[in-house]
Amino acid sequence: MPNATLPPLNAVPSPPPASSFAPDLPALSPRDRLDRPLRDLRLSVIDACNFRCPYCMPADRVPDDHGLDSASRLSFDQIERVVRGFARVGVRKLRLTGGEPLLRKRLPELIARLAAIDGIEDLALTTNGSLLAAQARALREAGLHRLTVSVDALTPSVFSALSGGRGRIEDVLRGLDAATEAGFAGIKLNCVIQRGVNEDECLPLAEFARAGGHTLRFIEYMDVGTCNGWRAERVVPSAELRDRIHARWPLQPLDPNYRGEVARRYRFEDGGGEIGFVGSISTPFCGDCHRARVSADGRLYTCLFAAEGADLRPWLAQGDEAFAQSLAEAWGARADRYSELRAAAREPSPGARKRVEMFLVGG
Ligand code: SF4
């Protein structure tokens, strides 16, 4: 039993110096109305998915053939121009998402083009891992820097249920092995724990991540979109999960890598690596949120819980300089802080508000 109790999860870690908000921002470096710069872009390359995870894309609400036709999706040329525009206004970190991004054809070709864009220092991708075994090497050779794989359970029956009966944990584990062989290090594993659903997976997942040299992140179950039937009582607060892990493997708090990092990081005292907790419900982090999201059909969302997104295509049609200007203006007008308002119960009950579906913007 560890003798040290950990500081409360919402104890504000010592922030890195202000300059670490990407000091070399180019001239167009907008700040939003809460003085937050634009540093991260999450870009969805496809809204289709081969899974039907109940907290994102429940099978009873999203038909099997769901998905934009290719004409409605941004083309590779448009995606490249969009990312150049965001790099122009301060984006340094680009994360490719979906739906399931590995369903997008010729993805390595797109990754090679995005990896070559000036200003993009960090190119990452989030996947459900089921198609990774066949694609890991090509993604790596194309220039992808980092991988995050969603793994909500190791028990095959629980994993299957949490993928809407479409996924097999064996495929994901083979994918992780292939990614490690292809040279991806420090692969992150994202896990959403729901009370009464997969709580018992918490310690086995931590053991698996420690053994594999992966960095596990527990993400609180969120009221994203409008179709996951979210209920507050199904949320397992990060502090509870952290204390459960700490009781088994003593933890030490770590400082954030950069200002605005969403996970609260800890290292295992015994050298077993790192683990993180993303507490959007219990410890919201809107104050440092410098993240924009673009859906596969080219809409800009300035918050994961935004109701509407701005169509980027008309801005793109004005040319690259005008496009960057429009992005700067859109960001300058941003004042989102949904999770903080939810926590302060100043947001209407989750059901009452339209929100973009997570599978359109990739969480
Ligand atoms: S709720 Fe919106 S503003 Fe707050 S951290 Fe999430 S995406 Fe950012």
Side-chain angles (χ1 to χ4, degrees):
M1 184 65 190
N3 46 24
T5 55
L6 291 167
L9 207 81
N10 54 9
V12 180
S14 49
S19 60
S20 70
F21 248 148
D24 59 343
L25 284 176
L28 273 179
S29 52
R31 288 189 174 252
D32 72 10
R33 287 167 46 199
L34 302 178
D35 197 34
R36 299 167 292 188
L38 173 47
R39 190 169 176 282
D40 285 18
L41 175 63
R42 298 175 75 95
L43 185 136
S44 168
V45 295
I46 191 166
D47 64 330
C49 185
N50 55 344
F51 282 11
R52 285 291 179 275
C53 306
Y55 60 70
C56 172
M57 210 175 189
D60 60 349
R61 300 287 298 276
V62 185
D64 269 2
D65 60 358
H66 167 82
L68 294 162
D69 57 59
S70 52
S72 310
R73 274 184 222 133
L74 289 181
S75 67
F76 283 9
D77 289 347
Q78 289 169 320
I79 291 174
E80 190 178 336
R81 288 183 58 209
V82 164
V83 173
R84 282 186 191 289
F86 275 97
R88 182 82 182 72
V89 294
V91 164
R92 294 285 166 270
K93 183 175 158 185
L94 173 62
R95 179 174 291 279
L96 302 180
T97 67
E100 171 46 45
L102 300 193
L103 288 171
R104 181 87 190 230
K105 295 198 176 59
R106 299 173 21 241
L107 186 61
E109 183 193 324
L110 175 64
I111 286 172
R113 290 169 68 166
L114 299 178
I117 293 176
D118 270 351
I120 299 301
E121 296 164 359
D122 182 6
L123 179 53
L125 179 142
T126 301
T127 169
N128 65 27
S130 61
L131 306 169
L132 193 51
Q135 300 192 35
R137 188 156 299 284
L139 297 171
R140 185 69 178 164
E141 286 166 2
L144 187 64
H145 302 158
R146 296 187 300 114
L147 266 179
T148 297
V149 180
S150 306
V151 186
D152 295 326
L154 291 174
T155 310
S157 57
V158 181
F159 184 91
S160 172
L162 285 170
S163 66
R166 266 95 173 159
R168 296 174 352 111
I169 184 64
E170 298 82 359
D171 297 338
V172 178
L173 298 180
R174 264 186 324 106
L176 280 169
D177 291 343
T180 305
E181 264 161 49
F184 287 103
I187 297 172
K188 289 213 175 86
L189 306 181
N190 277 358
C191 173
V192 176
I193 294 283
Q194 296 175 61
R195 196 172 299 288
V197 176
N198 59 336
E199 286 173 79
D200 299 343
E201 302 287 329
C202 168
L203 293 179
L205 272 166
E207 185 136 48
F208 172 76
R210 285 165 51 89
H214 307 309
T215 300
L216 180 60
R217 290 247 145 59
F218 286 112
I219 302 173
E220 285 180 348
Y221 173 47
M222 292 183 281
D223 51 332
V224 284
T226 62
C227 51
N228 72 1
W230 185 81
R231 298 201 318 275
E233 59 272 21
R234 295 265 292 267
V235 175
V236 181
S238 294
E240 183 182 327
L241 288 174
R242 182 205 59 187
D243 293 349
R244 207 182 288 191
I245 301 279
H246 183 56
R248 174 72 181 77
W249 299 282
L251 299 173
Q252 282 285 334
L254 288 170
D255 286 336
N257 289 311
Y258 56 86
R259 189 166 174 185
E261 185 172 28
V262 293
R264 292 296 162 87
R265 302 168 59 223
Y266 294 80
R267 69 175 187 82
F268 292 101
E269 274 184 11
D270 65 1
E274 182 185 324
I275 191 166
F277 304 87
V278 180
S280 165
I281 308 287
S282 62
T283 50
F285 36 77
C286 304
D288 276 335
C289 177
H290 47 225
R291 197 159 303 108
R293 292 170 170 85
V294 170
S295 58
D297 59 352
R299 288 184 168 274
L300 167 64
Y301 295 87
T302 53
C303 174
L304 176 57
F305 301 91
E308 302 295 339
D311 187 354
L312 295 178
R313 292 170 199 253
W315 301 354
L316 268 180
Q318 307 292 315
D320 292 343
E321 193 48 36
F323 178 65
Q325 286 294 350
S326 302
L327 289 179
E329 282 153 29
W331 188 259
R334 178 196 189 224
D336 299 282
R337 56 192 199 95
Y338 174 88
S339 289
E340 279 179 359
L341 296 173
R342 183 210 304 116
R346 296 223 320 266
E347 260 295 333
S349 65
R353 184 176 179 285
K354 183 170 180 278
R355 287 184 298 278
V356 60
E357 298 304 338
M358 178 146 112
F359 54 82
L360 288 181
V361 287

